[in-house]
Amino acid sequence: MTEIAPFPDTLSGWLAYIEALHPKTIEMGLGRVGEVARRLDLNPKFPIITVTGTNGKGSTCAMLSQIYIQAGYKTACYTSPHLLRYNERVKINDIEAADNALIQAFAAVEQARNDVPLTYFEMGTLAAMWYFIWQQVDVAILEVGLGGRLDAVNVFEPDCAIVTSVDLDHMDYLGSTREQIGLEKAGVFRAAKPAICGDTQPPQSLLDYASEIGAKLQRVGQTMLITKVRTGWQYRDENINLGLPMPNLLGDFQLNNAACAIRAVLQLNQKLPVSEAHIQEAMRSVRLAGRFQLVESQPQIILDVAHNPQAARTLADNLAQHACDGRTLAVFAMLSDKDIGGVIQALLSQVSIWFVASIDAPRGEHAYNLQQRLQTFGAEVSAYDHVGQAMLAAYRVATENDRIIIFGSFYTVAAAMTYLQKNTSNTR
């Protein structure tokens, strides 16, 4: 008789286990995850807002979550990837799920899974939904991991779906053009349901798909209008005109994300009533790690997870709009399957000196290769084995008027956060 191995009794044990379950890190498709969802009887009774997009997903989810929290609802939010702890992915009222709760959720999914192979993300998505149902939340905000149409999150029927932006990223899976990628992301839209787009120039494929299925498409710049004013900004649509404070997230592009979040909330207002005061307070209180996040001053240290050309252009705009008196020093590390050249070119005009590092991950690009790429542009650059080493080198040459921007990947920002936690008192 074959002895059945016991389930892991720690969260780290579970994460190691589910990482080894499937031979591929990513396998697109809803068949397997849908089958296990049916076995688990995951039929949420609460409204769901699904959020996808090349950039801006995390910010939009954070704003949505904060609006509903301010309104007093028990608000679930599932996002990825995490920076320091897996628990960051699964939150209720902005509080991370405890290890024991995640262990229970993974065990429930594993029992139902039987012989169905699931990826790490698929296991995590099902576990998160099991936990939200168990906790009887009032609303769930689900961030797509990759694409939209074939992402595990899309197995759950949204009451409203958002596409924040469409640009070139994950092209091995989603296609090599904005038209192809836009169609994949539009796959989260549903017939007769609100379909919100924050991209002011969306691909025609997205527009055509929304029309074809009869989704209620609403677009920033058309259905939703944004105006910056001296005291903040105004959101307008056909029914309402809101005067709002600027979001507590830097960058003008955040207004598009905020407009998407507000429109979604207003579309669901009959089910989940929210007041203008709730939205105003959410704009003031929203926070999100790693998005042009200022963590120290003199010199300034800014963390940003920008890892594709669109995000890098936004980062460059933020740096230009929030100029410092000294130089901008970049601590830079990326994954090898990203558009490294496009990211570099977007930031070249804003960076004085580059400190590049290797990422300790299977797809991490070696610092030497980053150094060679930058040297072809005539950049001043030095290479280091780890992000922490690159940060220390940047600190040593920085003056109090300079700033250090640390960017290129979630891995880069996570490594920087870990280094700062360990070395805050003796960095310089």
Side-chain angles (χ1 to χ4, degrees), residues 125 187 255 333 423 425-427:
T125 301
L255 297 183
N423 299 278
S425 60
N426 59 0
T427 299

Side-chain angles (χ1 to χ4, degrees), residues 281-320:
E281 186 54 37
M283 294 296 107
R284 295 187 188 98
S285 56
V286 65
R287 286 173 175 79
L288 186 62
R291 277 69 167 187
F292 208 75
Q293 179 188 3
L294 178 65
V295 293
E296 285 190 21
S297 57
Q298 292 185 324
Q300 290 183 348
I301 301 172
I302 299 168
L303 307 179
D304 200 297
V305 297
H307 58 276
N308 56 53
Q310 185 186 49
R313 290 190 294 271
T314 297
L315 173 56
D317 289 343
N318 265 341
L319 292 170

